[in-house]
Amino acid sequence: MQIGSMASLWFALSLPLIVLLYMLKRTYVDTTVSSSLLWRRVLREQEANRPWQRLRRQLLLLLQLLAAALLVLALMEPYVDAAGGVTEDPAVLVLDASASMSGADGESVEAGSYFAAAKLAMKEWLDLQPADKPVTLIKAGAEPEIIAAGGQERGLSADLINGLELEFGSADLQASLSLADAVLRDEPKGSILLFTDRTGNQMAAETVHPLSIISMKGSTEADSFTNTAIAGFGIQPESSVNQSDQTGLVTIINYGDRPASGRWHIYTSDTSRPVHTEPFTLQAGKRHSYKAADLPKADYYKAVLDIEDSYKLDNTAYGFPVSSGLPRALLVSSGNLFLEKALRLAGVQVVLADPQRYEPDGSTAASIDWIVIDSVPDHSLDSAAWQELMKHKPIWRIWSAEQPPAGAKGIEPKNGSIERMEHPVTRYLDMKDTHIAQLAEPIPGAPGKPLLVYGTVPALYAGMTDGKPGIVFAFDIRDSDLPLRPEFPILIAQAAEWMNSGLVSHLGQAAAGQQLEISMNPAASAAEWELVEAVPGWKGSEAAASAYPSDLQQDEDGALSTVQAAPRHPGLYRLVETGPGRETLGSRLLAVSADPAESRQASETGSMPGLVQPGPESPDAGADAGSEAEAGITGDEGGSSTGASGHEQTEAAESGSKLMLAPWIAALLLILMALEWGVYRRGSAV
Amino acid sequence: MVTDGAGEAVKGQAPGELFPDLSLLHRLERMTIASRSRVRGTMQGKRKSNALGSSLEFADYRAYTPGDDFRRIDWNVYGRTGRAYIRQFWDEQEIAVRLWVDVSRSMCFESAELPPTGSGGQKGMLGMHSTNKLLYALRLAACIGYAGLAGEDKVEAAIFEDRAVNRMPPLRGRGSAARLFAFLTQAAAAADAAREPAVQGNAALSEPFRLPGVMPRTPGQSWVFTDGLYESGIEEALSALTAARQDVVFVHVLGPGELKPELTGERRLIDVETGSGKEVAVGPAVLKAYQAALAEHCEYIRQLCSACGCAYIQVDTGVPFAETVLKQFHQQGLLKG
């Protein structure tokens, strides 16, 4: 037997109180007898004139004490485990940690989100379970994660549940349920409880063990499930000529089942006030694209929906301007038609500069992205203006064996063999049969590793220097038959692309927690995510902000891994790469959003999409708005009933696990009262 | 033989208080008090005496000596033998029946919780309940006394209490029955009225018998009617009476209040004689122990009696006294007829 309320033990003080009252009360009835002679003899042994002895023969007192003790026991809420010592049936809790769980409606508004409400419900459920019930907790994120494994000792505590965090990616519930089944494979009596905002109809979930779906969606009022989302947000230049003005294209979609209207704003990185504001009204299930012209130039743009709906994460979207058109290169050469044509073919605006006649000025640095120095000796570029320009821009250097760099000399390769390293610059290239007459060797300060070795002499280098891409050709193009080869334009295009890579100022969009392939600055020894702005509209954004900056992963060598996980919380982040001396090498922006699939999920109220309810994006959605609403309501009912049955199952499980003893004690008390009345009536004690 | 005259005389003295059923007296007239030995009284009576005298019961022959009553010469023997013999007969004498009635407080005590028993449970003489031990003892004494008077015995009655004895002169003849009844009635009432409210201490039973002049000088039969609730003195009293050549009949009168006390709960038991209280929580176990103590006490008295050669009879006032007299006394051989 176990005790529910130990504090009620204080009521046991009533027992000595009753005894005290009995001891204090004087209830002797004066009775004259003819002689106390015989009585004296009787009482010589059991003389009962001392208080405690007086209590000895008091049946009524004993009964009252028994009754009081039973009352105290009943107040202590005793219960026995119905299983009677047999180990409890294990249970697996599956917590949906998808982004849509950040929404709230009905009762969950108080808790903050479905997720918080689910955690509360989980803790309440746990409190009702016997301590030895094995409980396993699985968090259903993008991948199922076992938070606590249920052994004999329950390792699941309220702290552990409190520590759970929402994942803003998609949740693979089916995988989690399969895992739950696997956990319970040896336990035929085990059960699975799924805490989610979805409803039973939404999941074609098949589990071996009984599954109780506890839906966090509280009410079924239709307007509780409105969700309007920014489906897309793009920034493009007004025209290829005038690049200073940008046009924003916002696509808004109404996932709800009733019309939604509000305003949408566009902010830029430079202003706290919206640069564009426009009202919108959308029918249920409709989408529409809006255009905002003449946006000022900025690092990034933010589109925000000003509307009340249950899922707020998709009301904010970030957009980045397309990097300023075509890359512009300064070709420092005395004239190289093949190279110039190949560069133009690669989409590079080529600005020709003769080192003999051209001296760069301040405007040059702004108007070009990188420099190609074609067979120009160092001494021609000695001037301070050239040095300043070369210091800040990525350089593609083509050395000539006739005018080699200082300390090097031109040599003729011993044979025509080609060794090629795999690199973005050398992709798709074969270079067989290419002939190079002479090469310069060695090349001081060559970036990266040699990608091509022609007859034991390195011919081509590519890499990053100080966060800037760089390429070195150790031979003059004129000294080889390379321009005649069909690979030449490919090589030049790939080299130009390599030179352009340093220009990218943003990493684009990513879903929360998504694995990204990021080309890191090779010089960077460390990198971190910096939170620029968290997406508003969900509780805990402040707490999440404290998690940043967070360092990026490194591989075994200690170098930065090129595959990195995006931050787990929606928002705008800046990837900051730092060199060994903690100097900042560069920064790029990344917009992290919750899984877009969750936007629709948040508005789903019942039936499985595509089966009963026409998808909001289906072309006939508008025409069938009425029937859709009906279908939605039908779905609501189905969903709520499933949720209710889930709760019922839970309650049934609770009552099955505990057998409350209070009714039995009450019955015992009634019998006792009857007995006491009988004793009182017979007057065996007054 | 029942004579109407005697019965009327008794009725004239209003014996109704003692005898609600006068038919009992008629039955008592046919009974005599058994004496267990030949008596030696002073006057002629109906009892066999250990002395030779004039009666119809032949005892012996002896040779005639001058001076003998020649009317007692057996002439048939004289005719056959030529010698004169005198026929001797046992003498018949009266016995002295002495009635000792205890009128102490414990005898007068009447429990408030007595259940109505006996003759309808009505209040009888002196406002007493029919199961009152004193009333019962008085009635018994009156019965024995009447039987004695009717049997031509000498009857003496005395009531005793603590240290006082109230005696009446010897009575003879059925005609004195009314005086006996009156004495018993008045003496009990007087004792009840004159009793001091609180007497300290429970005197021993032997106290009144030690008073000078109380002990009878002639042999006889002494009936002691008492409840025997004395701490001490019972043995001494019996010894004193036996020493006075009394054939003692100890009538142990106990009421339902003593035999089957129906007490429950917490009680302060107040001794009516000493006034001292005793607090007791009465339960089945206590009552059981009480019964054991009572049985032990009765057995103690019985053994005392048998040691002294006394008759012991225990009567229950819950039983109608006519039944006690006619059946119990008769069965015990105390009354004959």
Side-chain angles (χ1 to χ4, degrees):
Chain A
M1 191 174 70
Q2 285 161 305
I3 295 300
S5 158
M6 213 56 197
S8 302
L9 200 59
W10 286 105
F11 287 106
L13 290 176
S14 62
L15 270 74
L17 202 66
I18 291 175
V19 173
L20 199 65
L21 286 174
Y22 260 74
M23 281 165 65
L24 291 178
K25 84 170 180 166
R26 285 197 56 90
T27 52
Y28 288 116
V29 177
D30 280 359
T31 310
T32 48
V33 291
S34 54
S35 171
S36 57
L37 170 73
L38 296 172
W39 291 108
R40 276 203 304 277
R41 292 186 187 174
V42 169
L43 300 175
R44 202 164 290 156
E45 298 233 334
Q46 40 191 334
E47 195 152 358
N49 54 1
R50 275 181 285 276
W52 55 91
Q53 286 176 331
R54 215 189 297 168
L55 303 171
R56 212 188 277 165
R57 300 280 167 187
Q58 294 272 1
L59 183 55
L60 203 61
L61 169 64
L62 288 178
L63 288 175
Q64 283 185 8
L65 285 180
L66 196 58
L70 282 174
L71 278 175
V72 170
L73 190 63
L75 283 169
M76 286 164 72
E77 298 169 14
Y79 59 88
V80 290
D81 294 333
V86 183
T87 49
E88 290 286 334
D89 296 331
V92 178
L93 309 180
V94 180
L95 177 62
D96 183 359
S98 64
S100 61
M101 289 288 279
S102 71
D105 74 307
E107 294 169 7
S108 51
V109 169
E110 197 176 327
S113 63
Y114 295 133
F115 192 69
K119 289 204 279 189
L120 279 178
M122 202 177 279
K123 280 184 274 187
E124 281 173 17
W125 181 87
L126 267 182
D127 285 344
L128 292 172
Q129 301 309 311
D132 58 345
K133 187 182 181 81
V135 178
T136 304
L137 174 59
I138 296 178
K139 179 172 147 185
E143 286 171 10
E145 180 187 359
I146 293 183
I147 303 295
Q152 278 308 102
E153 290 292 316
R154 186 197 291 177
L156 190 52
S157 64
D159 289 343
L160 204 56
I161 293 177
N162 286 335
L164 293 178
E165 282 188 15
L166 205 57
E167 290 190 7
F168 292 91
S170 61
D172 193 348
L173 282 184
Q174 187 56 56
S176 301
L177 292 176
S178 301
L179 178 62
D181 261 341
V183 166
L184 294 173
R185 64 188 177 281
D186 295 330
E187 301 282 355
K189 283 187 175 178
S191 57
I192 304 172
L193 276 83
L194 174 62
F195 294 81
T196 180
D197 61 335
R198 305 187 198 188
T199 50
N201 295 345
Q202 281 174 273
M203 293 173 300
E206 285 182 8
T207 54
V208 177
H209 294 86
L211 171 68
S212 304
I213 297 173
I214 293 156
S215 179
M216 290 299 133
K217 278 223 163 95
S219 65
T220 55
E221 295 168 31
D223 56 0
S224 296
F225 297 112
T226 57
N227 185 26
T228 310
I230 297 179
F233 179 43
I235 300 289
Q236 60 190 46
E238 197 88 6
S239 66
S240 57
V241 181
N242 180 9
Q243 300 213 341
S244 64
D245 284 338
Q246 307 279 331
T247 301
L249 197 63
V250 178
T251 304
I252 302 174
I253 183 165
N254 180 9
Y255 288 116
D257 46 21
R258 56 176 54 197
S261 63
R263 303 171 75 80
W264 59 273
H265 313 283
I266 289 182
Y267 296 81
T268 69
S269 54
D270 304 325
T271 56
S272 57
R273 299 187 52 170
V275 295
H276 189 95
T277 297
E278 200 175 315
F280 72 93
T281 302
L282 277 178
Q283 291 301 314
K286 288 288 225 177
R287 63 160 66 197
H288 193 264
S289 294
Y290 298 88
K291 204 172 193 180
D294 299 337
L295 298 177
K297 198 170 181 184
D299 285 347
Y300 65 88
Y301 300 85
K302 181 169 74 167
V304 175
L305 283 188
D306 184 10
I307 189 170
E308 277 299 317
D309 62 1
S310 59
Y311 182 56
K312 295 196 165 55
L313 286 179
D314 57 4
N315 290 357
T316 304
Y318 293 94
F320 301 102
V322 176
S323 60
S324 51
L326 300 170
R328 282 166 292 178
L330 181 67
L331 179 56
V332 184
S333 170
S334 50
N336 190 334
L337 191 59
F338 282 111
L339 185 58
E340 188 187 334
K341 288 292 181 191
L343 283 173
R344 287 195 197 282
L345 200 61
V348 179
Q349 286 187 326
V350 180
V351 179
L352 279 169
D354 189 343
Q356 309 298 333
R357 295 191 292 257
Y358 181 79
E359 193 72 5
D361 54 13
S363 66
T364 312
S367 61
I368 62 160
D369 294 319
W370 38 276
I371 309 168
V372 185
I373 303 172
D374 177 29
S375 307
V376 176
D378 268 344
H379 56 81
S380 304
L381 306 170
D382 276 349
S383 69
W386 275 113
Q387 291 299 321
E388 181 66 24
L389 183 66
M390 289 165 67
K391 195 174 168 188
H392 287 99
K393 291 294 176 186
I395 295 169
W396 177 355
R397 192 87 193 234
I398 301 171
W399 290 102
S400 167
E402 288 163 2
Q403 293 173 316
K409 56 181 172 73
I411 53 171
E412 291 182 7
K414 292 184 174 68
N415 54 43
S417 66
I418 289 280
E419 274 183 60
R420 190 177 66 90
M421 310 277 286
E422 192 60 42
H423 191 268
V425 175
T426 57
R427 263 185 310 190
Y428 314 125
L429 297 182
D430 188 18
M431 304 295 277
K432 274 182 187 169
D433 303 335
T434 303
H435 175 71
I436 300 174
Q438 52 182 351
L439 301 97
E441 198 203 16
I443 307 295
K449 293 174 182 174
L451 301 180
L452 281 177
V453 177
Y454 187 79
T456 71
V457 182
L460 175 61
Y461 300 85
M464 305 289 275
T465 310
D466 293 344
K468 297 192 294 261
I471 294 176
V472 168
F473 280 34
F475 58 96
D476 193 340
I477 292 171
R478 300 180 196 86
D479 289 339
S480 77
D481 60 353
L482 188 60
L484 303 178
R485 302 278 165 192
E487 292 158 333
F488 179 68
I490 300 173
L491 172 66
I492 296 303
Q494 288 180 164
E497 198 177 316
W498 178 252
M499 296 304 287
N500 285 340
S501 66
L503 300 178
V504 178
S505 63
H506 61 84
L507 295 167
Q509 308 271 352
Q514 184 187 346
Q515 296 292 321
L516 298 173
E517 200 167 321
I518 304 172
S519 59
M520 293 290 175
N521 189 332
S525 60
E528 60 184 19
W529 293 112
E530 254 181 26
L531 180 67
V532 179
E533 188 181 87
V535 166
W538 57 283
K539 256 192 171 179
S541 59
E542 295 84 3
S546 66
Y548 299 98
S550 69
D551 290 337
L552 269 70
Q553 293 170 347
Q554 297 180 331
D555 55 19
E556 296 81 16
D557 309 336
L560 286 167
S561 170
T562 53
V563 177
Q564 295 287 350
R568 290 184 298 111
H569 303 102
L572 185 66
Y573 294 86
R574 182 176 282 127
L575 175 67
V576 179
E577 293 163 296
T578 51
R582 305 297 297 170
E583 72 277 13
T584 303
L585 297 178
S587 68
R588 284 170 279 178
L589 289 169
L590 174 71
V592 175
S593 61
D595 194 320
E598 296 289 323
S599 295
R600 187 191 298 182
Q601 171 59 45
S603 65
E604 298 294 351
T605 57
S607 53
M608 280 191 64
L611 268 179
V612 179
Q613 187 174 7
E617 291 165 87
S618 62
D620 57 346
D624 285 344
S627 66
E628 185 184 326
E630 273 177 37
I633 290 165
T634 321
D636 284 353
E637 285 165 1
S640 66
S641 68
T642 313
S645 69
H647 282 294
E648 275 167 24
Q649 283 181 25
T650 315
E651 278 168 25
E654 284 160 10
S655 63
S657 61
K658 281 185 185 178
L659 183 62
M660 298 305 283
L661 295 181
W664 297 99
I665 294 174
L668 206 58
L669 268 177
L670 279 177
I671 296 170
L672 203 61
M673 291 294 179
L675 193 64
E676 199 164 341
W677 168 243
V679 169
Y680 179 75
R681 211 161 40 93
R682 285 210 338 255
S684 76
V686 177
Chain B
M1 284 292 292
V2 178
T3 59
D4 291 337
E8 280 162 13
V10 170
K11 286 172 202 162
Q13 291 297 323
E17 291 221 61
L18 280 177
F19 296 102
D21 181 12
L22 290 175
S23 66
L24 179 65
L25 293 180
H26 294 289
R27 300 190 62 179
L28 285 172
E29 283 169 3
R30 294 198 291 270
M31 301 181 118
T32 54
I33 298 169
S35 64
R36 290 184 292 171
S37 59
R38 294 178 180 276
V39 297
R40 186 150 188 104
T42 51
M43 298 182 75
Q44 195 77 26
K46 285 184 174 177
R47 307 285 173 173
K48 285 180 190 166
S49 173
N50 53 2
L52 297 173
S54 58
S55 73
L56 292 176
E57 194 169 356
F58 173 78
D60 202 358
Y61 288 102
R62 76 167 168 86
Y64 172 78
T65 52
D68 288 337
D69 189 356
F70 56 81
R71 287 177 297 180
R72 293 198 179 178
I73 294 175
D74 191 336
W75 297 112
N76 293 332
V77 172
Y78 179 77
R80 284 199 300 275
T81 62
R83 276 184 264 182
Y85 287 90
I86 285 181
R87 289 158 56 125
Q88 286 186 313
F89 295 87
W90 289 116
D91 196 10
E92 285 193 336
Q93 290 184 345
E94 63 174 12
I95 65 166
V97 176
R98 298 188 172 88
L99 306 171
W100 305 87
V101 183
D102 184 356
V103 292
S104 64
R105 280 169 184 261
S106 66
M107 287 290 283
C108 299
F109 169 74
E110 196 162 339
S111 171
E113 297 176 13
L114 280 179
T117 54
S119 54
Q122 293 147 358
K123 298 276 179 177
M125 186 186 78
L126 307 173
M128 292 172 184
H129 195 273
S130 62
T131 60
N132 184 282
K133 288 186 291 181
L134 179 59
L135 177 62
Y136 204 89
L138 288 173
R139 281 173 172 170
L140 286 179
C143 285
I144 301 300
Y146 186 74
L149 288 176
E152 297 178 20
D153 287 325
K154 183 172 78 174
V155 174
E156 291 179 26
I159 57 172
F160 65 92
E161 175 198 10
D162 293 339
R163 293 170 188 82
V165 178
N166 187 5
R167 307 173 66 177
M168 70 175 286
L171 299 174
R172 283 193 182 82
R174 196 173 296 152
S176 305
R179 287 174 62 196
L180 172 69
F181 297 163
F183 169 77
L184 288 175
T185 310
Q186 286 161 14
D192 202 31
R195 188 169 291 129
E196 292 162 32
V199 182
Q200 290 302 314
N202 189 9
L205 180 61
S206 57
E207 290 277 331
F209 297 97
R210 281 187 193 161
L211 294 175
V214 168
M215 278 294 119
R217 292 192 188 88
T218 55
Q221 201 172 32
S222 279
W223 292 68
V224 181
F225 299 91
T226 178
D227 54 7
L229 294 173
Y230 291 91
E231 196 85 68
S232 60
I234 299 174
E235 189 175 3
E236 288 86 342
L238 289 176
S239 301
L241 285 171
T242 315
R245 292 174 297 168
Q246 296 297 312
D247 196 4
V248 180
V249 179
F250 194 96
V251 183
H252 196 185
V253 184
L254 289 174
E258 285 100 27
L259 289 172
K260 288 172 195 160
E262 297 197 348
L263 295 176
T264 50
E266 296 199 335
R267 302 283 183 150
R268 180 205 288 278
L269 302 175
I270 298 170
D271 192 321
V272 75
E273 297 202 358
T274 62
S276 64
K278 205 78 189 162
E279 290 165 356
V280 57
V282 184
V286 173
L287 287 179
K288 203 174 166 188
Y290 174 84
Q291 289 294 345
L294 177 69
E296 188 190 10
H297 185 63
C298 293
E299 185 59 30
Y300 163 72
I301 297 175
R302 184 193 299 275
Q303 284 181 357
L304 279 183
C305 289
S306 61
C308 297
C310 309
Y312 171 86
I313 184 162
Q314 181 187 329
V315 297
D316 180 3
T317 63
V319 180
F321 79 98
E323 191 181 322
T324 304
V325 171
L326 296 176
K327 286 189 180 166
Q328 202 178 357
F329 282 20
H330 189 259
Q331 283 169 0
Q332 297 247 343
L334 297 171
L335 284 179
K336 285 182 182 173

